[in-house]
Amino acid sequence: MPDEPILEMRGLRKTFGRAEVVCGVDIVVRRGEKVCMLGPSGSGKTTTLRCLNLLTEPSSGELYFHGQLVGRWPSGRGSRSAANDAQRLRRHVSMVFQHFGLFPHLTALDNVTLGPVHVLGMNRREAAERARALLRRVGLEQFAEKHPATLSGGQRQRVAIARAMAMNPDVILFDEPTSALDPEMVGEVLSIMEQLASDGMTMVIVTHETNFARHVADRVVVMENGVILEEGTPVDIFERPTQRRTREILRARVQA
């Protein structure tokens, strides 16, 4: 069902010490949606993203996966069941990090193989075959035996995308996947992401690439100071935003 919610966070708040960086955010991600999150640095986008697969534990709020309650905070904090729920959730919700997050001592092939073997219980031969197919899909089959240090930033990020895909996830979360890349490498990563989008992958993408968001997103969420300023279709946000601050943020991104 295309309108089926896969991930839903209600009333998300996150504090670090005395600083509240996310302030009561509600977000729903439906099957097949491509949701792009925009906003200035420090607006709470990455923290919100990390809370969606519990790499960061919420201070308060409720998280649902396919309509089932995964956790409620603060009551779920520190419990063994909460830790187990987070581990189960991350089998289905993959993440691609800004700085790749590859294991430097492993080859590209082994980085992609690791999760399916140790988390999904796939046998090594089957996992390696799948990993090679995924590296082929992102244009890196010939680099399967290379270590991350020998690859360019764009190539490392493509390996990271293949690793995320290897888990056969329901959703892939992308945390500013092009911001650590040299400008000439951005296009090769965005191209892979566009292919995933066209294949119907459910994606939540924190990005500063406004042209990409305009072209790929089904829904754009604009954040600042830990709250959602505005959300809507790319046409709503880029052509007829209702908030003056949204227009200022988008204008600043175009000029950057």
Side-chain angles (χ1 to χ4, degrees):
M1 297 175 59
D3 292 331
E4 175 193 350
I6 294 182
L7 278 176
E8 181 178 3
M9 182 67 80
R10 301 177 186 173
L12 171 64
R13 293 183 179 272
K14 180 60 185 178
T15 58
F16 294 100
R18 296 182 179 179
E20 187 172 43
V21 298
V22 182
C23 315
V25 163
D26 297 323
I27 189 165
V28 178
V29 182
R30 294 178 173 84
R31 182 180 298 279
E33 263 196 317
K34 274 66 71 176
V35 180
C36 284
M37 302 178 69
L38 307 178
S41 296
S43 60
K45 307 182 302 298
T46 289
T47 300
T48 298
L49 193 76
R50 290 176 63 89
C51 286
L52 284 175
N53 73 342
L54 299 181
L55 284 173
T56 295
E57 186 175 351
S59 299
S60 65
E62 296 177 342
L63 177 63
Y64 294 82
F65 179 66
H66 287 291
Q68 300 297 311
L69 180 68
V70 174
R72 179 182 290 117
W73 293 270
S75 62
R77 179 173 300 175
S79 70
R80 177 172 296 181
S81 63
N84 291 339
D85 285 343
Q87 186 176 37
R88 285 193 292 270
L89 178 70
R90 288 197 288 268
R91 293 183 180 185
H92 305 284
V93 183
S94 292
M95 190 156 180
V96 175
F97 299 92
Q98 178 178 353
H99 294 289
F100 323 126
L102 300 176
F103 291 104
H105 63 290
L106 299 179
T107 65
L109 182 68
D110 288 339
N111 266 283
V112 179
T113 302
L114 195 66
V117 170
H118 292 282
V119 178
L120 301 183
M122 190 178 296
N123 70 66
R124 290 184 180 275
R125 180 175 179 178
E126 181 182 357
E129 289 176 355
R130 176 166 170 74
R132 288 188 184 277
L134 289 170
L135 288 172
R136 185 183 313 119
R137 183 174 177 183
V138 299
L140 293 177
E141 184 181 20
Q142 68 273 34
F143 297 102
E145 304 302 330
K146 299 290 186 180
H147 286 79
T150 67
L151 303 176
S152 70
Q155 289 168 338
R156 278 178 278 176
Q157 195 61 289
R158 284 188 279 160
V159 172
I161 292 172
R163 179 182 60 183
M165 294 163 59
M167 297 296 290
N168 195 27
D170 290 22
V171 186
I172 301 181
L173 310 178
F174 293 83
D175 183 17
E176 299 193 23
T178 62
S179 64
L181 303 181
D182 293 333
E184 62 270 19
M185 298 177 184
V186 169
E188 63 188 53
V189 172
L190 293 181
S191 177
I192 297 298
M193 293 172 65
E194 288 181 12
Q195 291 176 29
L196 287 177
S198 66
D199 289 344
M201 173 59 69
T202 306
M203 304 160 70
V204 184
I205 307 158
V206 171
T207 184
H208 292 300
E209 300 288 343
T210 53
N211 287 335
F212 174 82
R214 184 191 293 263
H215 176 66
V216 168
D218 298 302
R219 183 156 47 96
V220 177
V221 176
V222 182
M223 291 189 68
E224 187 178 44
N225 297 326
V227 301
I228 293 176
L229 287 176
E230 193 167 355
E231 64 179 300
T233 68
V235 171
D236 292 334
I237 298 302
F238 291 107
E239 298 184 18
R240 47 175 183 258
T242 61
Q243 302 295 319
R244 177 177 60 86
R245 184 59 183 142
T246 299
R247 292 193 292 271
E248 292 173 349
I249 290 170
L250 295 177
R251 188 180 307 120
R253 292 310 313 162
V254 170
Q255 294 172 352

